Every structure is written in structure tokens, then in C-alpha cells.
Amino acid sequence: QISEAEVALFSVSSYACQRRTTLDNHNSNLTDALSLLAENAELNNEDGRGVAFRRAAALMKALPTQVISMSQLRGLPCLGEHSLRVIKDVLENGVSSEVESTKQSKRYKALKILTGIFGVGAKTADRWIREGIYNLEQLRHSGQTLNRAQKSGLEHYDDLNEPVTKAEADAIGEIVQKAVDSVLTGSQVALTGGFRRGKLTGHDVDFLITHPEEGKEVGLMPKVVAWLESRGFLLYQKTTRNSYLESKDGPARPASNMDRFERCFSIFKLTKGKEQETASHKIWRAVRVDLVVSPISQFAFAVLGWTGSKLFERELRRWAGHEKNMSLSSHALFDNTQNKYLRATSEEEIFAYLGLEYIPPSERNA
Ligand code: 8DG
Ligand code: MN
Ligand code: MN
């Protein structure tokens, strides 16, 4: 038994963007439980609950040591009544009964399977479940009309649910660099998303493309896609054009958290190395890849916005709005007090404008 005096107390900032969150997590038993409940809330379109559990999980990820007693959590932010109940259950019983029953539930299992299909979100999955569809077999025989993304997602289901390795991300990076070099010399490709934060695996690979001369990047995406397509690298792609200039709600205040860059959601056909060849003798695998093109003037904001984690980004925007009266997006930072845009050419400058200590990508794993 540990006495009160021996218990280490933590002091942690309340915004995830004020904290350094590396990949080594001393409380994965607790964060796994909270993350599962967050995921379940999101799958049920309960966004408020989802964010509350995400914030609680992120706080636990940032703690420097393993939590062994509830008393250590006194005074910590971000832990609501419900999250504390889950944590207490895990500390006392090794598991959370709510997590266990969620995992076992027919609805959660079906939501996981169905949203595991690229192109299927929580709303579609819910509709299918209400029609009695709980798995891929039932979906295939249901006669449901699938869109192009969903058809492709179903076709490559196993590959797309297999984590992407860093080696695969690098191999795809080389292909993307080659495509970009071929269509516009001087273009730059940056790896963003989880791999930029140092993750060893991911659900996709995210790239940001720009050109040092403003305006040269216009129309780049269709050319890159055509290059990749003609060489058989794409199993699926959907390009959406840049809608930033036409937007009426102001560049730093997009109508949703979707940005307006020219972007391409794709599925790459990646040829496997000899060592990765499997018993199936399939010599390639499908990999989800996101490509985004940004003008150089917005590049720092785009890199910051696409590096994640999702919660870190959400917290940055909340910090900007609530604490600084600024609006941050992947395009720009607007100061509502001075009524002007704040220009930046690096992530460091953006953190400085926000009055935050610079947090490198490897410490944004909130
Ligand atoms: P993972 O793929 O390994 O699972 O993790 P990740 O790389 O962190 O997640 P992601 O889903 O690929 O998202 C990467 C970052 O991109 C994340 O910070 C959120 C951001 N992002 C989207 N969609 C959009 C969008 O439409 N606009 C902006 N600005 N950012 C987006 O995923
Ligand atoms: Mn990613
Ligand atoms: Mn992505």
C-alpha cells in the first residue's frame, strides 16, 4: 500500500497543444479503454462524448509515469466524471466493464466492420445496420448500391485494414516525388500525418505538395494523378479541386474543418518487396494515400494542419479561438483583435504567434 505522501502528483496543462506527447505511453491500459469509448461515441455520431473521451485519453498519454492510484489524478484537467469512472474500473479490476460490454456488442462490432470499408462513414453504417446488415458477407448479398469509393474499399478491404509500415510509406514517397518531379520541376513533397510524428505504422500515408514559386502549383494535382494513373500506380482516386478562393466565409474560418486545398484521396497499388511476398503470391498491396497541394504562401499552415494528431489540431484551433481571439486553419491565421492575417513561413512562427512553446511533430501525438 502506498501512502498519500508517496503518491506522485502530476501537473499538466489543460490544452493538448501546450503539452509534449510522445509515442511512449505509460498508461496504455487506461488510454486504450478511453480511446475505445471515444471511438464508439464517434461511430454513434455522439461527437461531444467522443471529444470528451479523446481529451481524457490524451491527458493520460501525456503523464510521465504510470498511474496506480486514483489519488494521483486529483486536480488534473480534462477528466470528467465518466472518464474517471472508467479509469477507476481499470485500476481496480484490470478492465472497464463498459469497455468490455461495448466490445462484445453486436452494434459496435458491426460499426467497426462496416466503417472499416473505405468510403463508409458512421451514418451509412448505421443505415445498413438498421436494414439488418452486420458484416461484409451480408453487405455483398444485400443488393445495396455502393458508390465508386465503397466498391473499391470493399474490394481491397483486407489490404486497407492492414497497417501501412514506414518502409511502405517511404516507397510511396519516392513514387510521389518522381511523379511530382516529372510534371513540374522544383516541386516539393512533404510527408505529413502520423509518419511525420514518428509513428511506425499508419492507416494511410499523407503527403503535402508545393512549389517555391507562388502560383506554379495551380493545376498540379491533375497532372500528378495522370502521371500516376498512366503508370498503373492508382487503384482508385478522387480529386477535389481547390475551393479556397471562392469561399465567402473567410480563409481562416472554413465552414467545416475540411479545408479547401486541391486534394486527392487515393488507393495506391504498391508492388511488394521480395521479403513481403505472402503465401497468396500477390505481388502488390493496396494502400490508402492522401495527396494535398498547397501554395507556398500557405505551406507552413498546411504542414501544421496535416501533421496532426487530430486532437492536437483541434486543441490548437480551440486555443487560438478561446485564448488568443485568433482563427487558425490549414490555410492561415487571422487575428480578430488586430483584424489582420499573420503571415508565417514556418511552424515555429505559428506557435510563436499563438503564444505557445514550440512542440515538434514527434511530441504532437496527443
Ligand atoms: P493514421 O493515418 O496513422 O491513422 O494517423 P494520422 O496520419 O494522424 O491521421 P489521418 O486521418 O491520416 O490525418 C492526418 C492529419 O490530416 C490529421 O491531423 C487530420 C488532417 N486532416 C484530415 N482530413 C483533413 C481535412 O480535410 N482538412 C485538414 N486541414 N486536415 C485534415 O485527415
Ligand atoms: Mn495518416
Ligand atoms: Mn489521411
Side-chain angles (χ1 to χ4, degrees):
Q1 197 62 37
I2 297 147
S3 76
E4 281 283 297
E6 284 172 292
V7 164
L9 285 179
F10 305 110
S11 162
V12 184
S13 306
S14 63
Y15 285 84
C17 55
Q18 296 173 292
R19 310 192 290 250
R20 298 179 180 272
T21 313
T22 61
L23 288 167
D24 62 282
N25 177 353
H26 306 281
N27 290 286
S28 50
N29 57 336
L30 301 173
T31 60
D32 286 353
L34 294 165
S35 299
L36 186 132
L37 296 178
E39 181 194 33
N40 185 244
E42 289 158 3
L43 287 172
N44 284 293
N45 277 306
E46 297 172 326
D47 291 344
R49 271 163 77 89
V51 173
F53 283 128
R54 291 276 172 220
R55 283 211 189 106
L59 184 106
M60 303 307 291
K61 275 184 211 169
L63 299 182
T65 57
Q66 192 187 350
V67 171
I68 46 170
S69 147
M70 286 303 283
S71 60
Q72 288 172 280
L73 304 179
R74 222 178 306 125
L76 286 183
C78 308
L79 301 175
E81 200 186 314
H82 197 158
S83 293
L84 284 170
R85 202 160 66 229
V86 173
I87 293 167
K88 186 161 184 276
D89 210 4
V90 175
L91 291 181
E92 287 175 1
N93 309 310
V95 290
S96 143
S97 54
E98 186 179 359
V99 168
E100 293 311 299
S101 66
T102 302
K103 275 199 228 170
Q104 300 305 319
S105 81
K106 199 176 168 190
R107 180 173 168 83
Y108 173 78
K109 286 183 193 166
L111 284 168
K112 278 287 276 183
I113 291 169
L114 298 175
T115 60
I117 304 169
F118 169 62
V120 177
K123 291 206 176 85
T124 303
D126 176 64
R127 197 182 72 232
W128 287 346
I129 290 169
R130 282 189 276 109
E131 295 179 33
I133 299 167
Y134 289 84
N135 56 43
L136 303 187
E137 202 52 29
Q138 290 171 338
L139 176 64
R140 286 198 178 97
H141 293 102
S142 68
Q144 289 282 341
T145 28
L146 304 182
N147 64 29
R148 207 166 57 83
Q150 294 163 345
K151 277 183 194 149
S152 202
L154 195 53
E155 185 178 347
H156 304 294
Y157 189 85
D158 291 339
D159 275 358
L160 298 184
N161 283 285
E162 178 78 26
V164 185
T165 64
K166 181 62 167 59
E168 289 169 330
D170 290 338
I172 291 168
E174 282 177 30
I175 297 167
V176 173
Q177 184 70 59
K178 206 167 159 196
V180 161
D181 286 342
S182 308
V183 301
L184 181 65
T185 49
S187 302
Q188 294 164 6
V189 178
L191 180 66
T192 59
F195 287 111
R196 182 161 184 258
R197 303 196 307 274
K199 280 180 64 185
L200 297 175
T201 61
H203 97 284
D204 69 356
V205 195
D206 307 283
F207 294 102
L208 187 59
I209 302 166
T210 190
H211 192 282
E213 207 177 312
E214 185 85 3
K216 284 265 193 194
E217 81 293 343
V218 174
L220 186 54
M221 189 70 89
K223 289 180 194 151
V224 171
V225 169
W227 191 97
L228 292 167
E229 205 140 49
S230 71
R231 281 157 186 80
F233 285 121
L234 297 180
L235 295 162
Y236 168 89
Q237 70 85 14
K238 185 182 164 65
T239 304
T240 47
R241 68 199 185 94
N242 183 324
S243 59
Y244 181 62
L245 295 172
E246 300 115 77
S247 69
K248 295 192 185 69
D249 46 2
R253 284 155 282 167
S256 72
N257 61 0
M258 290 293 279
D259 62 44
R260 297 188 169 76
F261 291 119
E262 206 178 11
R263 63 182 280 181
C264 175
F265 299 98
S266 76
I267 300 176
F268 260 58
K269 181 176 182 175
L270 180 65
T271 303
K272 293 182 186 177
K274 279 261 184 305
E275 32 328 321
Q276 287 101 335
E277 281 180 34
T278 53
S280 67
H281 299 295
K282 220 178 86 188
I283 61 154
W284 57 270
R285 69 161 290 189
V287 179
R288 273 273 299 113
V289 176
D290 284 338
L291 303 174
V292 182
V293 170
S294 153
I296 191 77
S297 60
Q298 299 170 18
F299 188 67
F301 297 99
V303 170
L304 179 59
W306 282 85
T307 296
S309 70
K310 287 209 173 88
L311 185 79
F312 191 91
E313 302 295 336
R314 176 184 268 278
E315 294 278 279
L316 268 179
R317 292 192 299 268
R318 190 166 69 96
W319 169 272
H322 290 201
E323 308 295 332
K324 295 283 152 182
N325 194 24
M326 292 179 184
S327 310
L328 174 69
S329 76
S330 296
H331 297 279
L333 178 63
F334 188 79
D335 184 332
N336 297 301
T337 309
Q338 299 183 66
N339 204 33
K340 69 172 192 190
Y341 287 102
L342 303 174
R343 312 224 157 267
T345 56
S346 69
E347 291 179 308
E348 284 85 346
E349 282 175 78
I350 304 170
F351 279 88
Y353 281 137
L354 292 170
L356 289 168
E357 201 179 318
Y358 178 67
I359 309 285
S362 62
E363 295 176 336
R364 296 180 204 160
N365 286 292

